[in-house]
Each structure stands twice: as C-alpha cells, then as structure tokens.
Amino acid sequence: MFENGIIFDISKDLYYVKTENGNYMSKARGVFRKQKFSPMVGDNVKIEIFDDNTAYIVEVFERKNEILRPPVVNVDQAIVVFSLKNPEISYKIIDRYIMYYEIMNVPIILCLNKCDLIGEELEREFKSIYEKLGYKIIFNSVNLDNKKLFEELCGDKISVITGPSGVGKSTILNYLNPNYNIWVGEISNKTKRGKHTTRSATLYEIFENSFIIDTAGFTSLDITKFIENESQIRDAFIEFKYNLECKFSDCKHINEPSCYVKNELENGNISKSRYDSYLFYLNEYLKNRRY
C-alpha cells in the first residue's frame, strides 16, 4: 500500500511521516544513499506501507525551497520573533534575520513579543521602520489573545518560527497548542538569554494542516555560508529595490554619485538604522571573503 505524506521529524535514519491515515516511522530506500540524497523535514514523500506496519520512503517530491538553518524544506513563511526588552535586541540583529530569509526567498512575518514591556513611542518607532516596508507585524504579549490571528496567518502553511534565544518562541507555541508542551527555558539573569534552546527541526501541527518549526537562534550566523555575492545583501534590503534609478546599475549605495538610495536616506525616506545594518553586513561579508 502506498500513501503520500510529509516528514515531520527525523531521528538518525528514521523518518516520521504524517499521512491522512496516520503517522508512520519510516526508513529511506537504499537508492537515496546511492544518490547521496537525504530526505529532510518538510519533504513531501510517498511511502510504501507493509502488513507489519513498517514503512519505507520510495519517492521524494520536488522541493520548492530549502533553508540552511534549520535544515528544512518547503517553507511557506518565517515568523521572526524578538523582544525589545528582556532581552533587549538591536535593530541590526532583526535585520540579520530579515536579510537571511529575504535571501532564502521566504516571506517574513515580524512578531514583536513581550510588547507589554515597551512604551508606545518604541512601538511607533518600530512600525515606522518596518511596517512601511510591507512586512506583516504581530504585536504580542501574555495579555493579548492572538490565537485567531496566528491561525489565519499560518493556515495550511509550513512556518518557521525563529529569533534569538529567550524571546518567547516556545512560549508562543505552547500557547497556540498546549498539547505539545514544548519545554520553556528560563532566562539567565546573567546573560538575559535562554539557558536552553530548541535544537532539532520538528514540524509541530499547531492547527489542522498548519505546521510550525521551532528553531534555535542564530545571532552569530556566518553570512558567508549562504551568500554567493554582495549583490544578494543589497537586494535583501527591499527598500533598495529601486536601485535601477541610480546612475550605475551595480551601485553599492556607498560613495557612488547620483545614488537614489543615498538621496532617499538624506530625505528621511529610508531608515538610517536599516542603512547602517546594510553597511555592517556588507563589510562583514567583504572582510570574511578575504580569508
């Protein structure tokens, strides 16, 4: 008997596959090893089920994308969670996450957690930077009931929930579906970071046919591992997309004359914090590329 399903967890050489008729612990056929191909969490697969209820993956269907961290495929969107208080986070770190998923071509939702700890002025400042760029924003806290909003945004999708340690990612997942009881690490008083983080990529079915992957943070992610050229950094800052209006088609928006981006920056139409992040990551990439 054959069934189609999705890999929701992996443990060594065992693949856990969800189908319409149940979940199966499966192995992969030897042909995959010969091809040096490994099924991944998020893969849509065909499995063969035998009378003793053992199952084997016989086919992996075409992937629409693949991201490196966490190692997962067929992602529909990334929910980037962060807090501006406890732990405090810089706009530069937020922009690192945004840049990563823009380069991976994964749509982004920004979730500002613990928003009960910040003032209206800080919330307005954040919105003035990111809302006008077209990113969906969720303002979340223990005092707000956003379950329906999350259900609408995550319906029939595979979502990655990501962000620095200690910002409340697992708490959000427990709130959305307490049945999973994902362990929540306390915040270290010394570092203000989570003592424990989620280490593996697992699809949690938070709502019916709606999966979320809880991931570890990557504030120290080496961008040279997923960036092929510096233009990817430039294009990841979506407010720079009008660079065709610059005098030079390969304008880096630094010292070139007749630069549209620099003019927009001077006129206040492009955020200085975003532009500073761009320069920081461009310089980081160029520096690392030399070694």
Side-chain angles (χ1 to χ4, degrees):
M1 179 176 69
F2 294 91
E3 285 195 28
N4 292 344
I6 183 172
I7 297 176
F8 66 88
D9 202 359
I10 298 175
S11 178
K12 295 184 178 179
D13 60 344
L14 295 176
Y15 301 87
Y16 296 85
V17 179
K18 173 183 171 57
T19 74
E20 289 185 357
N21 297 312
N23 299 338
Y24 294 89
M25 186 171 62
S26 309
K27 291 188 175 182
R29 287 296 189 193
V31 64
F32 295 114
R33 287 193 299 273
K34 293 179 181 179
Q35 297 173 347
K36 296 182 179 180
F37 177 86
S38 297
M40 297 175 63
V41 167
D43 266 324
N44 295 303
V45 299
K46 177 185 288 186
I47 61 173
E48 184 175 9
I49 305 167
F50 297 93
D51 293 337
D52 61 359
N53 221 35
T54 59
Y56 282 84
I57 296 173
V58 297
E59 184 177 357
V60 177
F61 298 108
E62 184 178 358
R63 298 166 175 170
K64 68 179 180 181
N65 60 32
E66 177 180 342
I67 63 175
L68 303 177
R69 187 147 181 192
V72 66
V73 298
N74 298 324
V75 173
D76 294 300
Q77 61 189 10
I79 303 173
V80 182
V81 182
F82 47 88
S83 63
L84 296 179
K85 293 286 184 181
N86 193 28
E88 293 187 2
I89 188 172
S90 70
Y91 287 124
K92 193 178 276 87
I93 294 176
I94 297 173
D95 291 334
R96 179 183 283 269
Y97 281 87
I98 292 175
M99 182 178 68
Y100 175 74
Y101 286 106
E102 284 288 354
I103 291 173
M104 295 294 110
N105 198 29
V106 174
I108 299 163
I109 296 174
L110 302 176
C111 178
L112 178 59
N113 207 22
K114 307 179 185 180
C115 64
D116 53 311
L117 302 179
I118 66 172
E120 292 183 3
E121 183 178 348
L122 196 55
E123 186 173 315
R124 284 196 299 269
E125 178 185 328
F126 179 83
K127 290 175 69 174
S128 70
I129 296 173
Y130 296 101
E131 196 170 57
K132 70 178 183 180
L133 298 179
Y135 293 119
K136 295 178 181 177
I137 302 175
I138 302 173
F139 291 97
N140 191 62
S141 76
V142 293
N143 302 320
L144 296 174
D145 185 3
N146 282 325
K147 185 172 289 188
K148 287 186 178 180
L149 177 59
F150 276 102
E151 190 170 3
E152 291 173 2
L153 293 173
C154 299
D156 299 321
K157 292 183 174 68
I158 294 178
S159 306
V160 168
I161 186 167
T162 188
S165 300
V167 296
K169 302 185 299 293
S170 294
T171 300
I172 291 174
L173 289 178
N174 284 331
Y175 162 72
L176 295 178
N177 193 330
N179 293 331
Y180 289 99
N181 193 29
I182 301 166
W183 194 85
V184 180
E186 63 179 341
I187 299 295
S188 165
N189 289 328
K190 182 177 180 181
T191 64
K192 297 299 181 183
R193 299 293 179 188
K195 290 184 177 179
H196 304 273
T197 56
T198 309
R199 295 183 180 274
S200 60
T202 302
L203 293 185
Y204 296 97
E205 191 172 15
I206 299 299
F207 309 109
E208 186 176 357
N209 201 36
S210 300
F211 299 92
I212 290 184
I213 307 161
D214 189 14
T215 74
F218 55 77
T219 54
S220 60
L221 179 65
D222 183 0
I223 62 174
T224 61
K225 292 183 178 179
F226 63 89
I227 293 178
E228 297 177 359
N229 55 71
E230 58 194 67
S231 65
Q232 287 182 296
I233 299 176
R234 180 193 63 198
D235 295 341
F237 286 78
I238 59 177
E239 61 268 56
F240 298 175
K241 65 182 178 180
Y242 302 109
N243 66 292
L244 292 179
E245 296 186 30
C246 294
K247 181 176 181 179
F248 303 103
S249 61
D250 60 346
C251 184
K252 293 183 177 64
H253 314 311
I254 301 176
N255 298 315
E256 297 88 344
S258 303
C259 173
Y260 172 85
V261 169
K262 291 296 293 291
N263 288 337
E264 288 293 280
L265 177 67
E266 292 175 4
N267 293 332
N269 297 323
I270 287 179
S271 162
K272 185 177 185 304
S273 70
R274 288 278 292 171
Y275 183 75
D276 289 345
S277 292
Y278 164 70
L279 293 181
F280 178 86
Y281 292 119
L282 179 62
N283 290 331
E284 182 182 72
Y285 168 75
L286 294 175
K287 178 180 177 181
N288 291 338
R289 192 178 61 174
R290 292 196 291 266
Y291 296 98

